Amino acid sequence: MNSSALVLAAGAGTRMKSSHPKVAHKMLGKPLVRWSIEAARAAGCTQVVTVIGHGADEVAPLVADTQTVLQAQQLGTGHAVKCAQDLLSSQSGSVIVLNGDSPLLTAETIKEVLSTREASGAGAVVLTMEPADPTGYGRIVRDAEGHVTGIVEQKDCTPEQAALTECNSGVYCFDCQLMLGYLDKLSTNNAQGEYYLTDVLSLMRADGHLVEAVVAADPNEALGVNSRRQLAQATKIMQRRINGRLLDEGVTMLDPDQVWVGPDAAVEPDVELLPQTYLWGSSSVASGSVIGPNTRLTDTSVGHDCVVEETVAIEAVIDNNVSCGPRAYLRPGAHLCDGSKAGTHVEIKKSTIGKGSKVPHLSYVGDATIGENVNLGAGTITCNYDGVSKWPTTIGDNVFIGSDTMLVAPVNVGEGALIGAGSTITKDVPAGALGIERSQQRNIKGWAVEHAQKLAEQAEAKKRRQ
Ligand code: UD1
Ligand code: CA
């Protein structure tokens, strides 16, 4: 059956003490609100609606693949749902309501809540949990038979209710149309003066509708991120979840606590991840490669049997058997072909380094196309920018470039050419030629010895004068 998901993401998140809306804060490189949206999609929700409000300008682009509705004033979770009622008016089945600040929730758990409602025909199913510290969460109130009768917010609890340990995760599955009918019955007659979505459950129950609960197997799943402490806590839990899976799949880590892999990164078996490695975005690493230490790859692919050490790479493509670093910086559009090398203190931007070609030390390569089996000597620089525009450099196969060469673009070096060390190349070098640009060297016989003598005599004379 098709079902909808409604993600509540309009709150300010004052406890974050941030100038950015809470749901835009990232966990392992992904904004909090995206975790909820993607979990809902993975659980099979065909329609996803996001309620945005606080910091809407910043949140809207993050949720552009969903239907969005603006809650201009945040009057509570019940009011947030009401803002979305028009978008949900054609949903005759289930709607899952999620908070935009619960990034540890899995698609499996959402499916369980959904299937519980669909099997029982309940008006509402709430996901509950028993967290180590229930402070701040709404408490689940059950009757003598164990049926859920309602949810009481911490601030509205009697001391007796505050002692209850079963809490509301903020995840619900409702009979969509039935739930919408209750929104006008909510009041702000509570400690926070807000329209509470949680009150829908007690109202349904009072009218004789079935209200059910699913107890989360792992209380961490519904951890709400309301503060920086909770963000760090959630990040640690997700890091352990992802790294645990990778270890099970055959990835080696010297210390899994010092490796951060984002949810969309792919790592094959027989990869080794060394400490202080970060794999963000859509990065991928194929088998046999060793990444780290001190390496951050963002939206970068690495082929098999590479060594990528102390490297920062953004939107780069690294093919197979490539050696990179220590201290390499690959910027967008860098492409290192099979068997190539970007060595130490090397920066490469929007350039292809052909098969077997090497840029071993202290170089900048920008807007360049380098053929196969090329060697760039230490300190080779493509001068690609004239202060106004960027210009290309092309280097043919089997070229040898001596150290400390400036290639002033636009410039072409033909196949098999050789460039003398220390040259500033401003004109094309034909295939097979020697390009050399340097002044003649003079050797003056005995000059250094005589010079040293002269200095010694001057020092002696100065001493005598004193
Ligand atoms: C809510 C629940 C509480 C539950 C907890 C779980 C209510 C009344 N309380 O409390 O029982 O234990 O979640 O984490 O629902 N939001 C809006 N518009 C608003 C208010 C909130 O979109 O007007 C969004 C927030 O951005 C957030 C979510 O709804 O993503 C929950 O709001 P929050 O203020 O964090 O609720 P809690 O007090 O945590
Ligand atoms: Ca919350």
Side-chain angles (χ1 to χ4, degrees):
M1 212 192 286
N2 90 74
S3 35
S4 301
L6 181 62
V7 179
L8 307 185
T14 44
R15 283 169 282 175
M16 291 297 277
K17 310 259 169 71
S18 175
S19 57
H20 303 283
K22 174 168 72 178
V23 296
H25 284 262
K26 289 178 178 172
M27 184 178 87
L28 293 181
K30 189 190 282 272
L32 294 178
V33 66
R34 296 278 341 146
W35 289 85
S36 300
I37 291 168
E38 287 166 28
R41 286 243 168 80
C45 295
T46 42
Q47 182 192 29
V48 180
V49 179
T50 314
V51 183
I52 61 174
H54 187 88
D57 289 350
E58 208 174 321
V59 180
L62 304 177
V63 300
D65 60 337
T66 70
Q67 291 173 280
T68 57
V69 56
L70 186 73
Q71 184 194 21
Q73 250 189 311
Q74 287 81 55
L75 305 178
T77 47
H79 178 253
V81 175
K82 198 166 155 52
C83 293
Q85 64 184 356
D86 289 348
L87 288 172
L88 296 172
S89 61
S90 58
Q91 175 55 267
S92 56
S94 298
V95 61
I96 289 278
V97 177
L98 305 173
N99 287 348
D101 64 354
S102 303
L104 298 176
L105 186 72
T106 62
E108 287 64 41
T109 301
I110 297 175
K111 276 189 208 158
E112 197 189 334
V113 176
L114 195 65
S115 59
T116 301
R117 198 196 79 75
E118 279 166 7
S120 66
V125 175
V126 55
L127 179 71
T128 73
M129 55 177 178
E130 299 238 3
D133 177 10
T135 311
Y137 291 109
R139 303 300 201 280
I140 303 294
V141 183
R142 293 179 184 254
D143 63 16
E145 281 92 60
H147 297 300
V148 176
T149 56
I151 301 173
V152 186
E153 288 309 294
Q154 162 112 21
K155 288 180 179 154
D156 300 296
C157 278
T158 62
E160 215 171 51
Q161 288 167 332
L164 295 170
T165 53
E166 187 181 16
C167 295
N168 173 22
S169 67
V171 177
Y172 324 83
C173 180
F174 291 108
D175 172 328
C176 189
Q177 295 310 312
L178 183 69
M179 181 272 287
L180 293 178
Y182 279 98
L183 295 177
D184 283 330
K185 298 183 179 144
L186 298 177
S187 82
T188 56
N189 187 15
N190 53 54
Q192 300 183 82
E194 291 182 359
Y195 295 98
Y196 290 166
L197 178 62
T198 45
D199 288 346
V200 168
L201 282 81
S202 48
L203 292 171
M204 279 187 180
R205 183 59 210 271
D207 285 349
H209 296 288
L210 193 60
V211 174
E212 298 247 52
V214 167
V215 184
D218 174 4
N220 282 332
E221 263 206 46
L223 183 91
V225 172
N226 298 301
S227 64
R228 307 274 180 162
R229 274 176 191 269
Q230 285 174 325
L231 179 58
Q233 211 182 335
T235 302
K236 183 46 82 182
I237 293 166
M238 185 51 78
Q239 178 199 28
R240 295 217 164 119
R241 206 189 271 176
I242 290 173
N243 290 357
R245 172 177 56 79
L246 292 175
L247 291 167
D248 289 345
E249 288 171 1
V251 174
T252 294
M253 297 181 206
L254 185 59
D255 181 355
D257 274 332
Q258 295 193 66
V259 170
W260 291 265
V261 178
D264 301 324
V267 187
E268 287 187 1
D270 285 325
V271 163
E272 189 171 352
L273 301 177
L274 291 167
Q276 299 302 329
T277 287
Y278 306 80
L279 303 180
W280 293 150
S282 62
S283 292
S284 62
V285 184
S287 93
S289 290
V290 181
I291 312 294
N294 303 333
T295 293
R296 189 177 80 229
L297 307 182
T298 305
D299 300 324
T300 289
S301 68
V302 179
H304 62 72
D305 300 299
C306 295
V307 174
V308 180
E309 193 176 356
E310 289 195 54
T311 292
V312 172
I314 301 158
E315 293 169 39
V317 175
I318 298 173
D319 292 345
N320 306 310
N321 299 296
V322 169
S323 161
C324 197
R327 317 238 164 106
Y329 181 25
L330 306 182
R331 292 167 50 201
H335 179 188
L336 305 184
C337 299
D338 286 357
S340 64
K341 173 177 178 142
T344 192
H345 298 282
V346 166
E347 175 176 337
I348 297 175
K349 184 217 77 171
K350 211 171 156 191
S351 295
T352 297
I353 312 298
K355 284 185 188 165
S357 290
K358 299 195 167 31
V359 190
H361 348 257
L362 302 157
S363 287
Y364 171 65
V365 179
D367 305 300
T369 308
I370 297 179
E372 299 183 7
N373 301 312
V374 169
N375 190 83
L376 262 64
T380 297
I381 287 170
T382 54
C383 309
N384 60 329
Y385 186 46
D386 58 15
V388 178
S389 310
K390 302 280 167 72
W391 300 98
T393 299
T394 55
I395 298 175
D397 295 346
N398 304 309
V399 164
F400 182 93
I401 297 192
S403 296
D404 193 28
T405 291
M406 301 296 123
L407 296 159
V408 182
V411 73
N412 304 297
V413 180
E415 217 179 295
L418 198 152
I419 305 230
S423 296
T424 298
I425 299 299
T426 52
K427 291 187 286 224
D428 287 357
V429 179
L434 167 70
I436 185 153
E437 183 279 333
R438 71 166 83 117
S439 48
Q440 287 292 319
Q441 179 177 337
R442 287 193 299 154
N443 288 341
I444 304 172
K445 224 176 151 192
W447 190 94
V449 176
E450 285 162 25
H451 182 64
Q453 266 166 11
K454 205 154 77 192
L455 292 181
E457 282 161 19
Q458 279 170 359
E460 195 56 33
K462 191 176 170 198
K463 218 161 51 192
R464 268 188 261 115
R465 279 199 304 274
Q466 281 166 352

